[in-house]
Amino acid sequence: MAEYSPARYVVLGLIARHGPMTPYELKARVEDDIQPFWPILHAQLYRIPPELARAGLLREETETAGRRRRIFHLTDAGRAALESWLADPETAEAETRDPAQLKLFFADLGDPSDIVALAMQQAERHRTLLAHYASLRAALDPAEDSRQRSRARVLRLGVLHERAHAEFWESMAADPEKLDD
């Protein structure tokens, strides 16, 4: 079986979870569910479904009237590919491309006050994200269905991640010379 990119599995997974979708609907679902932890360019969400249809993982249907939208349905082969991917515990290494961490790395080349300003701004950003993820988590009832349990899991990770980042940046703002706890 071919190896696909994570973005392709996002498309398969969203269609498996929510049923047939247009690329526009995929874009809206990604913005609601996936974007906080796996950004995908909108253009990819228009390009990927036809590619997956050519590979036999989706079936494309075009409306014959009205807006003539392209609607993509999961095929049995698409479900099998998604299930195979989910069953494989191996993943690529996580990527961290945090511009704030890059600035922190080179902070010795700038003014010492720049670290405090950066740390204060980052602490605020991460506290805002922490509050957002916590409110999203609080609105869920994981006992209701598997989708809410899945969202609750990833939001728990998001809350822990943002809390750790906020605490780090707050400590850096308070004492830029502190290197260990």
Side-chain angles (χ1 to χ4, degrees):
M1 184 176 298
E3 181 64 28
Y4 295 101
S5 70
R8 283 159 180 75
Y9 288 113
V10 165
V11 169
L12 292 174
L14 287 174
I15 292 174
R17 174 170 282 156
H18 300 290
M21 301 174 91
T22 66
Y24 180 81
E25 292 166 330
L26 282 167
K27 181 180 80 73
R29 285 292 182 180
V30 164
E31 287 174 356
D32 288 346
D33 296 342
I34 308 292
Q35 198 72 23
F37 61 91
W38 196 267
I40 299 175
L41 297 173
H42 292 162
Q44 286 184 288
L45 297 171
Y46 287 87
R47 189 184 74 247
I48 290 173
E51 290 174 4
L52 293 175
R54 285 191 296 276
L57 304 180
L58 296 177
R59 178 179 54 82
E60 182 177 348
E61 174 187 334
T62 304
E63 293 177 330
T64 57
R67 295 178 19 215
R68 303 178 63 90
R69 300 177 313 156
R70 298 168 75 182
I71 303 166
F72 293 89
H73 303 255
L74 191 66
T75 64
D76 290 341
R79 181 165 301 283
L82 179 63
E83 289 172 356
S84 177
W85 175 71
L86 289 170
D88 183 359
E90 292 296 318
T91 64
E93 289 293 319
E95 296 178 29
T96 301
R97 294 177 55 100
D98 183 348
Q101 289 181 33
L102 195 56
K103 285 186 174 188
L104 187 62
F105 179 79
F106 289 112
D108 61 303
L109 302 174
D111 189 282
S113 66
D114 294 342
I115 296 173
V116 173
L118 173 68
M120 290 172 58
Q121 191 275 338
Q122 289 300 306
E124 180 181 335
R125 175 177 288 161
H126 289 286
R127 284 287 172 199
T128 299
L129 286 168
L130 173 59
H132 176 66
Y133 293 161
S135 72
L136 290 174
R137 172 59 187 93
L140 294 177
D141 179 6
E144 189 171 305
D145 60 44
S146 63
R147 178 175 182 265
Q148 291 202 41
R149 280 190 297 283
S150 290
R151 284 187 60 124
R153 286 183 197 110
V154 79
L155 286 168
R156 177 177 175 237
L157 180 59
V159 164
L160 293 170
H161 174 86
E162 294 305 330
R163 183 178 298 136
H165 277 265
E167 289 173 3
F168 169 79
W169 287 111
E170 287 166 351
S171 73
M172 190 63 41
D175 183 2
E177 297 304 316
K178 182 178 181 183
L179 301 179
D180 297 310
D181 283 331

